[in-house]
Amino acid sequence: MKGTLKFGMVGAAALALAITSAPVAAEDGPTSADLMNDASTPGDVLTYGMGPQAQRFSTLDQVNTSNVKDLVPAYAASLGGEKQRGQESQPLVYDGVIYVTGSYSRLFAFDSHTGEKLWEYDARLPDGIMPCCDVVNRGAAIHGDKIIFATLDAHLVALDRKTGKVVWNKKMADYQAGYSATAAPLIVKDMVIYGNSGGEFGIVGEIQARNVDTGELIWTRPTVEGNMGTLNGQPNGITGKTNASWPGDMWKTGGGATWLGGTYDPETNLIYMGTGNPGPWNSHDRPGDNLYTSSTLAINPDTGKIVWHYQTTPHDGWDFDGVNEFIPFDAKVNGKPMKLGAKADRNGYFYVLDRTNGKLVSASKFVMETTWANGINLKTGRPNFIDANRPGAPNGSEKGTSVFSSPSFLGGKNWMPMAYSKQTGLFYIPSNDWGMDIWNEPIAYKKGAAYLGAGFTIRPIAEDHIGALRAMDPATGKIVWEYKNKAPLWGGVLTTAGDLVFTGTPEGYLKAFDAKTGQELWKFNTGSGVVGSPITWTQDGEQYVAVMSGWGGAVPLWGGEVAKTFKEISQGGMLWVFKLPKR
Ligand code: CA
Ligand code: CA
């Protein structure tokens, strides 16, 4: 404990004062070093992604391919209320408590042994919030005595993790201009690193770093070329070079939302942050590559500067947000050990990059078809565009030529995080096979209004499935196995040293697969669609698995012709926790 003795006070009185007036020390709870170690401490889950690299791999093997069939519920806990929309959260577990965020910006603490609710925090949201894709939240961050999450009105809120009382509450951006927030915060070196949402409203993507104890702003880094970053309140350099890849003033409303947050690699000291679509969707309004939208950015957390970038979809015209998680991993390339990173992009390609410099190593299709490009040029790193499949320019006030495009704008993969098994060396990608008719329309920017300039209808492209969980070998770019699901997959993936892969389905199941073969080994119906990310940890010598259940997210809002695959699914809001029966 920290305490401050004042001069002139001696003995027991001074000591008592020191103890009673001591602020709750930051050492009371996980430190930034503990967060960096999260992947190797299976007794807790301290970070979104189960480690700053977000591999979602657990070293636990008590539950494994031979006994997972016996997995049963230990308990379940309801989020209650009428706010049963998409539950895309990943729980955290620390010191006998499960922390989980819920739809409509709620945060809950449950006893990790019994599921009893300890406290609940409900953000008081204003009436005009503008989330594009359901009122979801993907998780919290823990540090010291605090639990931190973002709210749909673009605030970042730190709560006392024991009581749920607000410690600080900071406005990140103006929700009335279309900004919102749904990602889980990332904590690096006692800073909360956060990316904004709102790419469908002509916002400017930005990453902010704040002091974890006070919420005070340390640096900002806009993602759209031409906008100025800050450090300690001072200008800290323009992002890119103004008008190098944007015409006129388009960069002032250029999108590039960092709405899925980021990963961090302690070995390279880089934050990897994906950026969303450029605004508006109509690409004919903004000739150029439109940096740094639809990209992965590597950012130095000490300076807030971009160290490298890799743009997966230059001059995007299909809403191919490049926000997907970039997962660091180590492997040999042509016999040489390399620090790599992988990303399964919304555009349907799985990219492996050198994570020290952003150089492309390989790019492989992981979906049934990509109509917009025919592969990625390994020399230039750019897609081989199929120009005829870009939606046409509007003609005066008339809409432009409609094209069929696959993947659909909801992506070969959307927000739902993949996992990497250190044991099999495979990535497990929750993907979808679907296309869309898409066309462009005239559009002008108006504050707080949708800024698309496009229309669309989503369509299935296969008879038997939309969702597909795919095991990708990053060394060969080949799909080793796949599991097809009738409805679109929209939940995160977990893999374990027990050679298991867990993921949920809209039909309500949490399922376990053999990590090597893809054989389905276990399933349990949670009563509503599973679009959350499962976790596992060990407690009192037993391995637990937990996942949120509660159907929602972007799919039912934008589903078009694919909606018939999930029209009977009920909403919900439950935390489910499983373990093996006691022997
Ligand atoms: Ca841990
Ligand atoms: Ca988007």
Side-chain angles (χ1 to χ4, degrees):
M1 282 178 84
K2 280 182 191 160
T4 308
L5 289 177
K6 285 187 178 160
F7 288 113
M9 299 181 74
V10 290
L15 184 63
L17 180 67
I19 290 169
T20 55
S21 67
V24 178
E27 290 75 18
D28 178 23
T31 62
S32 288
D34 294 333
L35 305 185
M36 294 304 109
N37 264 336
D38 189 23
S40 49
T41 52
D44 55 33
V45 176
L46 302 176
T47 54
Y48 183 77
M50 299 180 64
Q53 298 178 322
Q55 292 181 339
R56 298 182 182 274
F57 172 77
S58 169
T59 55
L60 296 173
D61 62 1
Q62 188 182 83
V63 178
N64 53 51
T65 49
S66 57
N67 62 18
V68 69
K69 64 182 189 318
D70 298 326
L71 209 58
V72 289
Y75 55 84
S78 174
L79 302 193
E82 296 166 1
K83 297 172 174 175
Q84 295 186 336
R85 294 280 285 272
Q87 310 298 347
E88 293 185 355
S89 183
Q90 180 221 292
L92 299 178
V93 185
Y94 179 71
D95 195 20
V97 181
I98 299 181
Y99 299 95
V100 66
T101 60
S103 50
Y104 289 100
S105 306
R106 294 173 295 165
L107 179 53
F108 297 79
F110 296 106
D111 185 305
S112 72
H113 292 87
T114 63
E116 283 179 47
K117 188 164 81 178
L118 304 174
W119 55 258
E120 168 181 350
Y121 172 81
D122 284 39
R124 200 177 297 160
L125 296 171
D127 289 337
I129 55 166
M130 282 177 255
C132 71
C133 309
D134 203 5
V135 286
V136 298
N137 185 282
R138 303 201 168 93
I142 190 169
H143 185 277
D145 56 347
K146 297 178 194 66
I147 184 106
I148 298 156
F149 82 126
T151 55
L152 289 161
D153 55 349
H155 279 237
L156 202 55
V157 181
L159 307 174
D160 183 309
R161 65 178 170 78
K162 296 208 168 119
T163 63
K165 296 277 182 296
V166 175
V167 180
W168 52 258
N169 179 337
K170 298 289 180 186
K171 175 182 168 180
M172 294 188 288
D174 178 9
Y175 74 86
Q176 290 176 312
Y179 288 92
S180 57
T182 52
L186 167 71
I187 294 180
V188 174
K189 300 181 177 181
D190 299 349
M191 292 184 287
V192 188
I193 310 292
Y194 202 80
N196 58 15
S197 303
E200 271 57 56
F201 298 94
I203 60 95
V204 171
E206 184 176 84
I207 303 139
Q208 297 185 351
R210 290 173 181 273
N211 180 311
V212 71
D213 290 320
T214 64
E216 293 306 320
L217 198 56
I218 298 171
W219 56 256
T220 61
R221 175 51 53 195
T223 61
V224 178
E225 198 163 62
N227 291 280
M228 178 65 79
T230 63
L231 177 64
N232 298 322
Q234 301 299 314
N236 188 33
I238 285 173
T239 295
K241 190 163 167 259
T242 309
N243 286 135
S245 64
W246 288 87
D249 284 344
M250 298 297 287
W251 54 274
K252 292 180 180 171
T253 51
T258 43
W259 58 266
L260 205 42
T263 59
Y264 174 70
D265 175 35
E267 289 179 32
T268 54
N269 188 34
L270 291 173
I271 295 165
Y272 302 108
M273 193 69 81
T275 64
N277 62 282
W281 285 19
N282 175 6
S283 60
H284 302 278
D285 281 357
R286 43 174 172 75
D289 279 356
N290 312 134
L291 293 171
Y292 294 98
T293 62
S294 299
S295 301
T296 294
L297 304 181
I299 293 171
N300 182 329
D302 304 318
T303 64
K305 296 255 181 153
I306 297 172
V307 176
W308 58 255
H309 75 277
Y310 180 81
Q311 191 174 35
T312 42
T313 313
H315 193 51
D316 165 53
W318 303 267
D319 189 33
F320 288 155
D321 293 51
V323 293
N324 289 112
E325 67 285 359
F326 181 81
I327 300 184
F329 73 109
D330 296 333
K332 283 183 180 166
V333 177
N334 300 326
K336 184 180 154 212
M338 285 187 67
K339 292 186 195 304
L340 303 170
K343 175 190 188 184
D345 198 273
R346 188 140 145 180
N347 69 18
Y349 287 92
F350 176 86
Y351 296 84
V352 177
L353 306 182
D354 179 332
R355 73 175 184 270
T356 67
N357 57 22
K359 291 269 180 321
L360 179 63
V361 173
S362 65
S364 318
K365 194 166 72 171
F366 66 91
V367 292
M368 275 173 59
E369 61 179 7
T370 57
T371 60
W372 66 281
N374 179 19
I376 310 298
N377 183 319
L378 291 182
K379 283 214 176 72
T380 64
R382 296 177 70 87
N384 304 316
F385 284 106
I386 301 172
D387 291 333
N389 289 339
R390 178 181 294 269
N395 186 1
S397 60
E398 301 286 300
K399 70 178 197 180
T401 311
S402 179
V403 299
F404 176 75
S405 178
S406 182
S408 78
F409 76 97
L410 288 176
K413 175 174 172 295
N414 201 283
W415 78 276
M416 54 283 194
M418 61 181 180
Y420 171 70
S421 169
K422 286 190 160 101
Q423 207 152 285
T424 63
L426 302 176
F427 281 86
Y428 300 99
I429 309 172
S431 67
N432 289 307
D433 293 316
W434 46 15
M436 63 178 168
D437 297 318
I438 180 168
W439 59 90
N440 289 318
E441 298 164 348
I443 183 78
Y445 174 78
K446 185 164 167 280
K447 182 187 170 183
Y451 188 51
L452 302 188
F456 49 81
T457 306
I458 294 189
R459 299 203 321 228
I461 58 171
E463 289 284 310
D464 60 340
H465 76 284
I466 295 170
L469 177 64
R470 292 183 163 120
M472 164 66 77
D473 183 343
T476 64
K478 297 273 187 301
I479 305 293
V480 177
W481 58 258
E482 68 180 358
Y483 155 79
K484 292 177 179 175
N485 198 69
K486 184 166 162 258
L489 291 180
W490 209 254
V493 181
L494 162 71
T495 184
T496 73
D499 269 338
L500 294 171
V501 177
F502 290 90
T503 199
T505 72
E507 290 87 343
Y509 292 99
L510 179 64
K511 293 192 171 194
F513 302 89
D514 185 312
K516 288 179 181 148
T517 66
Q519 187 191 349
E520 187 177 311
L521 300 174
W522 172 83
K523 67 177 177 180
F524 179 88
N525 196 308
T526 63
S528 179
V530 176
V531 293
S533 298
I535 57 160
T536 188
W537 76 101
T538 184
Q539 180 171 287
D540 306 328
E542 292 181 286
Q543 185 180 350
Y544 286 71
V545 175
V547 74
M548 284 302 302
S549 167
W551 174 233
V555 175
L557 296 177
W558 300 110
E561 284 180 36
V562 304
K564 60 178 176 288
T565 63
F566 49 78
K567 69 178 182 348
E568 300 301 336
I569 297 169
S570 295
Q571 292 184 309
M574 296 276 279
L575 169 71
W576 281 92
V577 179
F578 305 89
K579 67 182 187 72
L580 294 172
K582 273 229 159 68
R583 277 169 221 113

